[in-house]
Amino acid sequence: MTRHGQMPLGGENPPRSTYYDQGKFGRLFPSLPPFAMDSPQLREALKDIGKKGGIMDPKDDLDDPVGLITNPAKNVENPNNPNLTAGITFLGQFLDHDMTFDTTSSLERQQDPESIANFRAPFLELDNLYGSGPNASPHLYDQSGNGGGIKFLVEPIPGSDAIARDGKLKFDLPRNSQNTALIGDPRNDENLIVSQLHLAFLKFHNAVVDHVKAKTGWTNPMEVFAEAQRLVRWHYQWIIIHEFLPATVGHKIVEKVLDKGRKFYDWRNLPFIPVEFSVAAYRFGHSQVRPSYRANFGPKADDSGQFIALIFDDGRQGSPSSDASDPNDLRGGKRAARRFIDWQTFFDFGDKRVRPNKKIDTQLSSVLFDLPGIPGTEPQSLAQRNLLRQLTFSMPSGQRVAKAMKEDILSPGDLDDLKPYQLETRTPLWFYILREADVLGDDGKRLGPVGGRIVAEVFIGLLEGDRHSYVRQDPAWQPTLGNGGKFTMVDLLKFAGVVTNL
């Protein structure tokens, strides 16, 4: 779902060195060759695989956003994942934006991963939230007496109290006069759900500031800020290891990596972002995106006023223009009374209102085959864009990676739909990992052995490589803001005060 800018002129076939510098992208398997030689014919084949109406498009009924949620018959070709809630998808997107900020990737030129600067430290420290801190990024912080320059700036949504079930005013990211969000990473305003998730983390920090003040009695603002930031980061990191990863890759892989160590992800100086992770394995989340979501329940007790819409609705007849102040989809960058999230749809509060995301497989919801904001000269399909990146980053085949990892290799029969393209035995890694989840990941409920191991090792490795993380500083630490040493996204949202009382 994330879009990247254009690479300046330059770039050759990626070298295969094993040296990784700080803040750069690199490789887990530098000795493996690309899955295929770049050619016009192969590019056309990849475009055909990922095209609208092609083998990766489930052909969702986009004229019925409500039915896509409520009618099981409309989910047959794009099945739900009963094990994962809808919110996990967007937590995954938020995590991605915390790890990486590559503004320079191109679909048209082969790139050297080691020459692409990651313009953010590859750690899980929420610098997409904190920017450079209150002194260097003052525009992110509330300078009023209440905020004291150490709380984040948030802004109310006019009229939202009349639409919210509990009659309370809802909040939005701060925005300038042109409606551009004032946040540490503009990608977190890409859609309404990730935008409101970013807001939830802002308000979580603000609530933790109040908690630290009340608990310690400290009056030095920067001491309060530093302790609040530590608590926010450590609780967030706890969620990654104890909620997000087990749900995504399975408890066994997480425990194995934590107990027996990493096998494939290592570095010489500081952690780097492997392209096998960023360009292939971690793009599994694109398969989890639903075509439509219930943003909120509206003001009526019978839910008749709920706001349900496609996540993106671009280019179809009658669809809203991209500059509409309140479009009928869930794109970001807008502020209107109804544009807030009721989190009971996205995480399990025990009230039976939660909805699932989609299975991890080679089907992407049809809305993702016509992305908004993409220049007409570029592919509009997210599947095409991901497949072309397998070429531009000289990615190895999934079969070779599985062999290098000593994992079971999918048979050509498992990839029979790629036979017309002669890619059933040399499959682009991203496609392979999606199919592996479908075949070996409990019917797409989680990632398979190759994808799961890559994702688990990178996340855990980034935390182990960060001397400020709780994993390094205090491995026996347990959350203090939840109950009984536990802390989940539901706890975070409640502590942040962003949960509507239904």
Side-chain angles (χ1 to χ4, degrees):
M1 295 166 61
T2 296
R3 301 187 300 272
H4 297 285
Q6 296 299 305
M7 183 72 180
L9 293 176
E12 304 293 339
N13 288 322
R16 301 285 169 178
S17 81
T18 57
Y19 174 78
Y20 308 110
D21 198 2
Q22 176 184 358
K24 298 290 183 70
F25 289 87
R27 294 186 185 275
L28 293 177
F29 305 101
S31 63
L32 294 184
F35 76 93
M37 184 181 71
D38 196 343
S39 69
Q41 294 81 6
L42 181 57
R43 284 179 172 267
E44 289 306 311
L46 295 177
K47 288 179 182 178
D48 196 63
I49 293 168
K51 71 181 179 182
K52 184 176 182 179
I55 64 172
M56 299 189 74
D57 183 356
K59 304 173 182 63
D60 297 311
D61 181 4
L62 301 184
D63 291 321
D64 187 10
V66 175
L68 288 170
I69 296 175
T70 61
N71 185 353
K74 296 198 172 185
N75 293 286
V76 174
E77 298 300 322
N78 192 10
N80 293 330
N81 186 339
N83 286 13
L84 294 180
T85 68
I88 288 291
T89 305
F90 299 94
L91 176 59
Q93 185 183 17
F94 183 86
L95 298 180
D96 175 45
H97 295 174
D98 188 23
M99 287 181 285
T100 63
F101 191 27
D102 164 24
T103 62
T104 61
S105 82
S106 165
L107 294 170
E108 301 302 326
R109 305 183 66 85
Q110 290 187 323
Q111 299 302 331
D112 170 6
E114 296 181 53
S115 71
I116 298 173
N118 181 11
F119 293 97
R120 175 173 295 124
F123 293 128
L124 293 155
E125 293 186 332
L126 290 171
D127 49 358
N128 62 343
L129 209 70
Y130 289 105
S132 298
N135 292 327
S137 302
H139 61 287
L140 302 179
Y141 295 86
D142 182 358
Q143 305 300 326
S144 72
N146 180 59
I150 61 171
K151 285 185 177 181
F152 286 113
L153 186 63
V154 298
E155 294 177 343
I157 303 174
S160 57
D161 50 343
I163 293 175
R165 183 68 56 87
D166 58 4
K168 295 181 179 179
L169 205 60
K170 304 305 175 184
F171 287 82
D172 183 23
L173 302 173
R175 300 183 182 277
N176 66 14
S177 59
Q178 296 180 329
N179 230 23
T180 300
L182 302 176
I183 54 177
D185 189 332
R187 296 174 299 171
N188 279 356
D189 196 27
E190 180 185 271
N191 63 70
L192 176 62
I193 304 162
V194 76
S195 167
Q196 286 274 294
L197 186 60
H198 190 107
L199 172 79
F201 274 91
L202 297 180
K203 297 203 75 173
F204 178 54
H205 166 87
N206 291 354
V208 174
V209 167
D210 290 338
H211 169 81
V212 171
K213 286 181 177 179
K215 184 177 180 181
T216 65
W218 294 347
T219 57
N220 184 311
M222 296 317 296
E223 287 183 353
V224 172
F225 175 84
E227 176 61 7
Q229 184 184 53
R230 182 191 67 82
L231 284 172
V232 168
R233 284 173 168 170
W234 283 18
H235 282 79
Y236 161 70
Q237 292 165 359
W238 178 274
I239 285 172
I240 293 170
I241 288 183
H242 294 273
E243 183 175 10
F244 178 78
L245 283 181
T248 300
V249 310
H251 286 278
K252 288 184 179 179
I253 291 181
V254 176
E255 290 170 0
K256 190 176 292 185
V257 175
L258 287 172
D259 293 343
K260 298 184 178 180
R262 292 169 275 111
K263 291 182 178 180
F264 309 105
Y265 177 46
D266 205 356
W267 55 87
R268 291 189 179 182
N269 296 317
L270 288 175
F272 65 98
I273 298 295
V275 288
E276 295 93 339
F277 171 85
S278 63
V279 178
Y282 200 60
R283 291 181 182 241
F284 77 89
H286 295 162
S287 176
Q288 294 181 308
V289 177
R290 300 189 63 88
S292 60
Y293 292 89
R294 177 175 55 198
N296 60 62
F297 293 90
K300 300 180 181 179
D302 62 0
D303 296 347
S304 60
Q306 58 192 350
F307 178 22
I308 294 177
L310 299 176
I311 187 164
F312 297 127
D313 187 3
D314 196 58
R316 298 192 313 129
Q317 186 175 2
S319 65
S321 62
S322 60
D323 61 352
S325 60
D326 185 16
N328 287 320
D329 64 7
L330 302 179
R331 69 186 65 197
K334 313 293 180 182
R335 180 182 291 170
R338 65 174 179 167
R339 301 188 82 78
F340 62 89
I341 295 295
D342 282 339
W343 290 110
Q344 288 89 339
T345 287
F346 295 90
F347 296 97
D348 190 357
F349 287 77
D351 58 3
K352 298 183 179 180
R353 292 180 178 271
V354 68
R355 295 288 183 176
N357 65 15
K358 293 296 182 180
K359 286 185 179 180
I360 306 171
D361 56 21
T362 54
Q363 300 294 295
L364 272 64
S365 292
S366 295
V367 289
L368 301 180
F369 290 82
D370 190 8
L371 295 173
I374 302 294
T377 55
E378 293 187 22
Q380 308 296 300
S381 159
L382 182 58
Q384 287 179 331
R385 297 172 74 84
N386 285 344
L387 287 166
L388 288 171
R389 279 194 173 90
Q390 309 304 293
L391 274 182
T392 56
F393 284 90
S394 298
M395 299 300 293
S397 71
Q399 288 86 351
R400 287 186 183 274
V401 172
K403 183 178 180 180
M405 296 176 70
K406 298 181 180 180
E407 298 287 357
D408 290 339
I409 301 173
L410 297 182
S411 70
D414 291 325
L415 295 151
D416 194 56
D417 49 348
L418 294 184
K419 193 171 183 179
Y421 308 99
Q422 299 181 331
L423 292 172
E424 75 277 15
T425 60
R426 51 180 186 126
T427 307
L429 184 57
W430 174 64
F431 190 99
Y432 182 96
I433 284 171
L434 295 182
R435 183 58 53 81
E436 180 196 53
D438 199 13
V439 175
L440 300 176
D442 193 15
D443 193 27
K445 295 183 180 69
R446 55 176 171 77
L447 284 168
V450 170
R453 185 82 193 197
I454 291 174
V455 168
E457 287 208 11
V458 170
F459 271 105
I460 293 171
L462 290 177
L463 290 173
E464 291 175 339
D466 178 5
R467 61 189 179 90
H468 297 294
S469 74
Y470 89 84
V471 175
R472 280 282 293 276
Q473 292 218 347
D474 188 0
W477 175 84
Q478 290 189 327
T480 57
L481 302 179
N483 294 307
K486 296 181 179 180
F487 193 79
T488 66
M489 277 302 302
V490 168
D491 295 316
L492 185 149
L493 295 166
K494 287 179 177 179
F495 199 95
V498 297
V499 181
T500 299
N501 183 7
L502 299 176

